[in-house]
């Protein structure tokens, strides 16, 4: 067994601290991704259902199904555009800060 898998780190506390920090960061990223996916699904359900199903019944008509499909596609596309822009902005701001200031 390696010293990492056995729970002992003979390389010092800094290496162990860095690996634990990375684990926590990965877990936070994973939880944020899950929360974002859940929010996307909830918003799609809310917005598209309101728009496409004016009179709920026991089943969806073909027009309602088509509307829901198109609405979901558009909503996810818009979500992705906004998400990419947000990530890009965060990366730019992070890069600016690491170079000693903002522009």
């Amino acid at each position: 067994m390696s010293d990492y898998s056995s729970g002992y780190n003979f390389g010092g506390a800094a290496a162990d601290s860095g690996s634990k920090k990375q684990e926590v960061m990965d877990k936070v990223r994973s939880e944020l991704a899950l929360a974002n996916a859940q929010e996307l699904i909830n918003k799609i359900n809310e917005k598209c259902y309101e728009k496409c199903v004016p009179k709920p019944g026991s089943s969806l008509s073909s027009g309602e199904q088509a509307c829901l499909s198109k609405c979901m596609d558009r909503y996810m596309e818009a979500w992705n555009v906004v998400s990419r822009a947000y990530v890009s902005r965060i990366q730019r701001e992070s890069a600016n800060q690491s170079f000693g200031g903002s522009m």
Side-chain angles (χ1 to χ4, degrees), residues 2-62:
S2 75
D3 56 336
Y4 288 107
S5 61
S6 66
Y8 297 102
N9 180 357
F10 298 109
D16 188 42
S17 174
S19 115
K20 291 206 185 281
K21 182 178 178 183
Q22 188 61 44
E23 282 180 35
V24 170
M25 293 293 285
D26 289 345
K27 184 166 177 67
V28 168
R29 282 187 189 105
S30 176
E31 288 177 6
L32 283 171
L34 179 59
N36 279 335
Q38 288 172 331
E39 182 180 349
L40 172 62
I41 291 167
N42 289 338
K43 288 292 184 184
I44 286 174
N45 285 338
E46 176 187 331
K47 301 295 183 186
C48 294
Y49 191 81
E50 283 178 12
K51 179 182 191 297
C52 297
V53 187
K55 295 180 182 176
S58 60
S59 63
L60 295 173
S61 71
S62 61

Side-chain angles (χ1 to χ4, degrees), residues 66-82:
C67 178
L68 284 168
S69 179
K70 288 177 185 175
C71 180
M72 288 171 53
D73 288 345
R74 283 193 304 265
Y75 202 92
M76 286 193 300
E77 185 178 328
W79 182 279
N80 286 331
V81 167
V82 170

